[in-house]
């Protein structure tokens, strides 16, 4: 697929239309299975042998009926949450009852809400993202940004203690976010099952809940989610053998589960790059991995992102006898920018591309990106270096396993929204795919020692960096 190619543009539009028609591909649901089968067929049509790893887990499904997700305060009308906390818990149709207890501060004292329903304000204030993501020249390449995923994850990390404190349910009250942005956010998604029902409210409903909590009003929280044990979900992968260096590999990865047409559309890249290599075989062996479990990481691994599990299960393709010399992680192609303005209540597209979050984990790969990548705007490309605390996206397992890689993991406001909207700029998507194609060809032609060596911080540096960053994030939540 190349920018300006009418057939390529139409093919990309068809793929995006499929994602919109299928709706959220949450891990293990029917729509997710359809996408995985679709990619497997596309690879098979190219003459490739598709392999799979099947994992099973207990799937949590949010209620589909409107009365299955509600908060009733006293005898008043039901308050409709903006979203449910995924894998928090389930109440059954009758819900849980108790007084609303307002808790304050970034580290609430959950015991104050024993036998009640805790109410916690959750501020979506701009966070110092530049502390997490720095450019290769050492500067903070990103200014403060509000990121619902980070705010929700920090808030949800304490739910295990909440249940032990005897709390019956939790209502997180969004502040500094518009109701439109808060609605249907599938956040957070990295935590284990909490066995404690939790929901989010925003806008006028948030004010109603806060007023009631200050009075200690009685309430009933209903989160009639369904738990289904032993649900299968598949990682699929295929191999294109190298012509000259078959024992040196390049890993090209993405994930299949997602919420909308940006999260995740990386499969388009995996199919199109495989098509290009079938037409012009590579010198090195290229392994394409479409991992499952990104939206349910605890189902496949205890650490890292979903690709970590594939690396653990298939060391023969990267650590011996074959050795990975580089990797590409393709996520969130063609993301357009949405802006959230809680002051005016406006939320919607700006008409521009979302600023790219593009990692290179070695300086040598950074130089390749400078030469081959064409961003959405003229001027130098902002290339991020891996940080001591976090590497976002499915490129993280490659970094943690010492595999030099380039990763695209742009993070718009709507990234985890399960609503379908016009989130994709197809011309930008094609430009990014062309960039990955150029990078793959350059990587294939380069000597292995010309791709650099991944350097990870030591344990002490990593610990100190993590502590300082967490402290900064918590200060901005207040």
């Amino acid at each position: 697929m190349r920018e300006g190619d009418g057939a390529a543009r139409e093919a990309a539009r068809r793929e995006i239309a499929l994602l919109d028609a299928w709706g959220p591909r949450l891990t293990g649901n029917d729509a997710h299975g359809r996408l995985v089968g679709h990619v497997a067929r596309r690879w098979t049509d190219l003459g490739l042998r598709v392999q799979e790893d099947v994992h099973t887990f207990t799937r949590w499904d949010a209620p589909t009926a409107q009365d299955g997700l509600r908060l009733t305060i006293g005898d008043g009308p039901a308050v409709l949450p903006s979203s449910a906390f995924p894998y928090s818990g389930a109440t059954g149709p009758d819900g849980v009852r108790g007084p609303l207890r307002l808790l304050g501060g970034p580290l609430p004292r959950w015991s104050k809400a024993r036998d009640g329903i805790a109410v916690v304000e959750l501020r979506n204030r701009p966070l110092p993202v530049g502390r997490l993501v720095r450019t290769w020249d050492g500067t903070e390449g990103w200014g403060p940004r509000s990121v619902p995923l980070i705010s929700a994850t920090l808030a949800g990390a304490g739910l295990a203690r909440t249940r032990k404190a005897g709390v019956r349910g939790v209502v997180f009250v969004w502040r500094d976010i518009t109701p439109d942005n808060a609605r249907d956010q599938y956040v957070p998604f990295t935590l284990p099952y909490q066995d404690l029902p939790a929901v989010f409210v925003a806008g006028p409903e948030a004010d109603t809940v806060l007023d009631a909590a200050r009075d200690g009003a009685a309430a009933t929280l209903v989160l009639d989610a369904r738990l289904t044990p032993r649900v299968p979900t598949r990682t699929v992968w295929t191999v294109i053998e190298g012509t000259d260096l078959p024992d040196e590999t390049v890993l090209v990865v993405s994930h299949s589960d997602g919420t909308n047409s940006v999260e995740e559309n990386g499969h388009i890249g995996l199919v199109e790059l495989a098509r290009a290599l079938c037409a012009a075989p590579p010198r090195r062996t290229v392994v394409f991995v479409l991992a499952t479990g990104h939206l349910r990481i605890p189902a496949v691994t205890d650490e890292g992102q979903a690709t970590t599990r594939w690396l653990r299960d298939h060391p023969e393709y990267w650590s011996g006898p074959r050795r990975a010399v580089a990797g590409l992680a393709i996520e969130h192609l063609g993301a357009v920018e949405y802006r959230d303005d809680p002051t005016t209540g406006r939320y919607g597209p700006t008409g521009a591309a979302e600023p790219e979050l593009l990692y290179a984990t070695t300086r040598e790969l950074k130089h390749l990106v400078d030469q081959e990548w064409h961003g959405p705007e003229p001027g130098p490309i902002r290339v991020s270096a891996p940080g001591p605390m976090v590497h976002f996206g499915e490129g993280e397992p490659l970094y943690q396993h010492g595999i030099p890689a380039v990763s695209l993991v742009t993070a718009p406001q709507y990234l985890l929204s399960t609503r379908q909207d016009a989130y994709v700029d197809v011309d930008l998507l094609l430009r990014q795919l062309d960039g990955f194609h150029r990078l793959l060809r350059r990587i294939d032609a380069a000597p292995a020692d010309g791709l650099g060596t991944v350097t990870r911080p030591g344990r002490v540096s990593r610990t100190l960096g993590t502590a300082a960053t967490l402290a900064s994030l918590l200060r901005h939540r207040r």
Side-chain angles (χ1 to χ4, degrees):
M1 285 187 174
R2 289 185 180 274
E3 186 183 8
D5 183 335
R9 184 180 293 108
E10 184 56 34
R13 284 175 176 158
R14 286 197 300 270
E15 290 298 308
I16 297 303
L18 275 179
L19 298 180
D20 285 337
W22 286 334
R25 282 92 46 216
L26 305 180
T27 313
N29 74 3
D30 290 343
H32 182 212
R34 283 194 290 272
L35 175 63
V36 174
H38 171 70
V39 173
R41 287 189 297 274
R42 297 287 300 277
W43 280 340
T44 300
D45 290 345
L46 293 172
L48 300 173
R49 183 170 75 93
V50 178
Q51 303 179 66
E52 66 177 35
D53 300 327
V54 180
H55 309 285
T56 59
F57 72 110
T58 297
R59 192 178 72 215
W60 177 99
D61 290 301
T64 55
Q66 188 173 16
D67 63 354
L69 178 62
R70 67 184 191 277
L71 176 68
T72 305
I73 301 171
D75 298 326
V79 171
L80 298 182
S82 53
S83 65
F85 185 127
Y87 288 86
S88 57
T91 66
D94 295 331
V96 294
R97 298 178 177 84
L100 296 174
R101 301 297 188 196
L102 181 60
L103 306 181
L107 298 173
R109 291 184 58 187
W110 298 108
S111 58
K112 290 186 175 182
R114 182 181 301 275
D115 296 326
I117 298 171
V119 175
V120 179
E121 284 192 274
L122 173 56
R123 296 199 172 275
N124 191 45
R125 287 175 174 165
L127 298 172
V129 177
R131 305 277 179 88
L132 299 175
V133 182
R134 291 178 177 268
T135 60
W136 268 97
D137 62 8
T139 62
E140 294 186 8
W142 298 79
R145 292 168 58 88
S146 60
V147 184
L149 171 60
I150 295 178
S151 299
T153 302
L154 289 171
L159 282 194
R161 296 191 302 274
T162 311
R163 178 171 51 81
K164 292 178 181 178
V167 177
R168 296 175 180 175
V170 179
V171 180
F172 289 106
V173 177
W174 278 118
R175 311 306 269 171
D176 308 307
I177 189 172
T178 62
D180 278 348
N181 191 9
R183 182 160 58 92
D184 299 325
Q185 288 274 355
Y186 193 81
V187 293
F189 65 87
T190 59
L191 302 175
Y193 182 67
Q194 302 293 304
D195 197 21
L196 181 73
V199 301
F200 298 91
V201 296
E205 285 80 4
D207 296 331
T208 298
V209 172
L210 285 175
D211 288 342
R214 292 186 184 102
D215 295 335
T220 300
L221 173 63
V222 177
L223 175 50
D224 192 14
R226 184 174 72 255
L227 291 169
T228 306
R230 300 202 58 76
V231 172
T233 185
R234 296 186 293 160
T235 287
V236 291
W237 49 287
T238 193
V239 180
I240 296 179
E241 293 290 339
T243 57
D244 299 333
L245 300 168
D247 289 338
E248 293 186 3
T249 64
V250 179
L251 307 182
V252 183
V253 306
S254 188
H255 63 92
S256 52
D257 39 353
T259 49
N260 55 56
S261 57
V262 165
E263 171 72 297
E264 178 56 70
N265 59 24
H267 77 279
I268 300 173
L270 271 61
V271 170
E272 294 307 318
L273 289 181
R275 185 190 309 280
L277 295 187
C278 285
R283 296 171 62 242
R284 293 186 171 98
T285 295
V286 179
V287 185
F288 293 93
V289 181
L290 188 65
T292 187
H294 182 83
L295 293 187
R296 193 72 210 119
I297 289 172
V300 295
T301 181
D302 293 330
E303 60 182 5
Q305 299 282 329
T307 302
T308 302
R309 177 61 182 268
W310 187 88
L311 292 172
R312 191 185 81 186
D313 290 345
H314 300 284
E316 67 274 15
Y317 283 101
W318 65 274
S319 68
R322 301 190 185 198
R323 182 175 66 90
V325 299
L328 299 174
I330 305 175
E331 299 181 69
H332 315 164
L333 295 165
V336 301
E337 182 182 54
Y338 271 49
R339 186 165 295 159
D340 190 52
D341 188 345
T343 303
T344 63
R346 294 176 182 171
Y347 171 69
T350 66
E354 179 72 19
E356 292 176 333
L357 176 48
L358 186 65
Y359 285 105
T361 57
T362 68
R363 191 169 293 279
E364 290 82 353
L365 285 179
K366 189 265 185 188
H367 292 323
L368 281 186
V369 172
D370 287 339
Q371 297 166 24
E372 301 296 344
W373 193 267
H374 303 295
E377 298 178 357
I381 304 299
R382 178 171 51 192
V383 185
S384 297
M389 178 180 174
V390 64
H391 184 309
F392 291 109
E394 290 297 333
E396 181 265 355
L398 305 181
Y399 170 64
Q400 293 297 340
H401 288 78
I403 302 169
V406 176
S407 309
L408 178 69
V409 60
T410 303
Q413 289 283 320
Y414 54 80
L415 185 64
L416 277 302
S417 172
T418 57
R419 279 181 293 166
Q420 310 308 304
D421 206 339
Y423 296 138
V424 178
D425 179 334
V426 171
D427 288 334
L428 174 59
L429 179 151
L430 294 177
R431 189 182 309 143
Q432 291 167 336
L433 282 187
D434 185 57
F436 276 117
H437 188 205
R438 291 166 176 266
L439 286 169
L440 184 55
R441 287 300 185 191
R442 289 290 302 274
I443 288 169
D444 191 44
D449 59 6
L451 299 172
T453 300
V454 172
T455 301
R456 296 188 299 279
R459 180 177 296 179
V460 173
S461 296
R462 192 165 59 247
T463 300
L464 291 174
T466 298
T469 304
L470 280 174
S472 178
L473 293 175
L474 287 172
R475 281 197 303 271
H476 280 77
R477 281 185 58 213
R478 293 178 182 175

